[in-house]
């Protein structure tokens, strides 16, 4: 089994060695599985359980003080499943797999997705806060009232777009991060960079890289695996800090946060709105 994975774009970590050790453990766990879908699920579950990454435990907090998780998985034969907006679900990637295997649908959201997760045997009701995220939220001067009041509050806090949303593909427009791809030269390049912490390879230029260092909360995780015949991709996230309650980014959107085809697989990380605007994962695979 061949597998590559990433721990997300965002600010450069103060202690990269512990993060790298977790990534190495996740890669080893995934590589030991017998099929690509199990490989990416197993690897991502390791990262979802580690507070250093913005997926599962330690996820970003939305404007109503809730951590909501999203994930998606896909196989190169077009089997696909995703889940979004789940409160208290650590292993969103396992819910996405259950959607793929147990339903005729491709995406479940919100409280019904949480109920489905519980019925599928995925643990729910998990406290996704860490000491660090709880302290950060406590100091955030949280808003009350209507969505419009929340929007006014997050105007100076949410990262916003890092690219021109009106630009067309082919006009020199590149979303924030290329993500992880298991096709062509990107496979070799990303296999050497499992951490993906604000490197040149995951940023569209040094200016944008510096800008992302000021925008914490991009640390979406993902993996791509192949047994030489089938590709599988998976991406999981806790979203972005101080987003409007209910916001869903690129991660659970097929072709944006994740994608797989006979040509390869991709998992993206970065500013979700920018990635979704150009369905980046599908473009990366080709």
């Amino acid at each position: 089994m061949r597998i590559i994975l990433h721990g997300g774009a965002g600010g450069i970590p103060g202690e990269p060695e512990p993060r790298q050790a977790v990534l190495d453990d996740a890669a080893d766990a995934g590589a030991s599985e017998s099929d690509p879908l199990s490989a990416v699920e197993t690897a991502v579950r390791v990262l979802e359980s580690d507070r250093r990454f913005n997926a599962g435990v330690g996820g970003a907090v939305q404007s109503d003080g809730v951590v909501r998780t999203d994930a998606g998985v896909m196989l190169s034969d077009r089997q696909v499943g995703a889940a979004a907006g789940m409160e208290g679900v650590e292993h969103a990637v396992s819910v996405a797999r259950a959607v793929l295997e147990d339903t005729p649908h491709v995406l479940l959201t919100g409280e019904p997705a949480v109920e489905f997760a519980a019925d599928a045997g995925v643990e729910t009701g998990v406290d996704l806060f860490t000491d660090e995220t709880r302290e950060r939220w406590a100091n955030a001067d949280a808003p009350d009232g209507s969505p419009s009041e929340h929007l006014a509050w997050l105007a100076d806090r949410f990262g916003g777009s890092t690219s021109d949303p009106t630009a067309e593909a082919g006009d020199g427009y590149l979303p924030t991060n290329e993500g992880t791809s298991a096709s062509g030269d990107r496979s070799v390049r990303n296999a050497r960079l499992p951490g993906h912490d604000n490197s040149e390879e995951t940023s569209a230029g040094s200016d944008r890289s510096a800008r992302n260092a000021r925008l914490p909360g991009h640390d979406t995780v993902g993996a791509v695996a192949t047994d030489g015949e089938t590709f599988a991709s998976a991406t999981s996230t806790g979203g972005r800090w101080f987003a409007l309650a209910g916001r869903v980014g690129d991660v659970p959107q097929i072709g944006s946060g994740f994608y797989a085809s006979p040509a390869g697989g991709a998992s993206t990380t970065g500013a979700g709105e920018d990635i979704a605007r150009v369905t980046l994962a599908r473009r990366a695979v080709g």
Side-chain angles (χ1 to χ4, degrees):
M1 188 69 60
R2 290 179 289 167
I3 185 169
I4 54 177
L5 64 157
H6 66 82
I12 298 173
E15 297 180 350
E17 291 82 6
R19 286 171 61 104
Q20 185 61 58
V22 177
L23 287 161
D24 291 342
D25 289 344
D28 290 342
S32 69
E33 294 289 350
S34 60
D35 65 274
L37 182 57
S38 296
V40 294
E41 180 193 14
T42 296
V44 168
R45 281 177 64 95
V46 172
L47 303 179
E48 288 174 330
S49 293
D50 194 284
R51 65 176 180 79
R52 297 174 181 86
F53 302 96
N54 180 17
V57 174
V61 184
Q62 295 191 336
S63 67
D64 60 350
V66 174
V67 179
R68 295 179 173 89
T69 57
D70 313 325
V73 297
M74 189 170 185
L75 292 169
S76 50
D77 63 1
R78 301 298 196 270
Q79 292 187 76
V80 64
M86 297 181 293
E87 182 177 353
V89 176
E90 177 181 353
H91 293 301
V93 69
S94 295
V95 185
R97 179 173 183 170
V99 172
L100 181 154
E101 293 182 329
D102 300 337
T103 81
H105 310 305
V106 298
L107 174 64
L108 297 180
T109 65
E111 186 58 33
V114 176
E115 295 173 359
F116 170 78
D119 193 61
V122 180
E123 185 179 6
T124 60
V126 179
D127 181 5
L128 301 180
F129 277 85
T130 65
D131 291 343
E132 293 84 359
T133 58
R134 188 170 283 108
E135 180 181 5
R136 184 177 180 187
W137 177 251
N139 294 327
D141 188 25
D144 293 317
S146 67
S148 60
E149 291 174 301
H150 281 232
L151 283 169
W153 172 84
L154 65 85
D156 295 327
R157 293 172 173 83
F158 183 70
S161 175
T162 58
S163 304
D164 179 3
T166 65
E168 297 293 335
D171 289 340
Y173 169 59
L174 286 174
T176 307
N177 296 289
E178 292 187 21
T180 296
S181 171
S183 58
D185 293 340
R186 287 194 188 91
S187 174
V188 176
R189 182 189 65 201
N190 289 338
R192 294 196 300 265
L193 295 166
H196 278 65
D197 286 310
N198 222 26
S199 66
E200 291 180 1
E201 283 74 9
T202 56
S203 171
S206 58
D207 289 344
R208 195 168 287 136
S209 177
R211 190 158 52 227
N212 284 342
R214 298 192 297 271
L215 299 175
H218 287 195
D219 302 299
T220 292
V221 304
V224 176
T226 182
D227 58 5
E229 296 182 359
T230 300
F231 285 95
S233 65
T235 307
S236 180
T237 189
R240 290 185 71 181
W241 271 89
F242 305 136
L244 186 66
R247 176 262 189 187
V248 175
D250 63 298
V251 166
Q253 297 187 48
I254 302 164
S256 293
F258 66 105
Y259 193 72
S261 79
S267 170
T268 65
T269 173
E273 281 70 18
D274 291 340
I275 290 171
R277 287 184 179 106
V278 296
T279 56
L280 181 60
R282 187 175 186 276
R283 289 179 62 190
V285 174

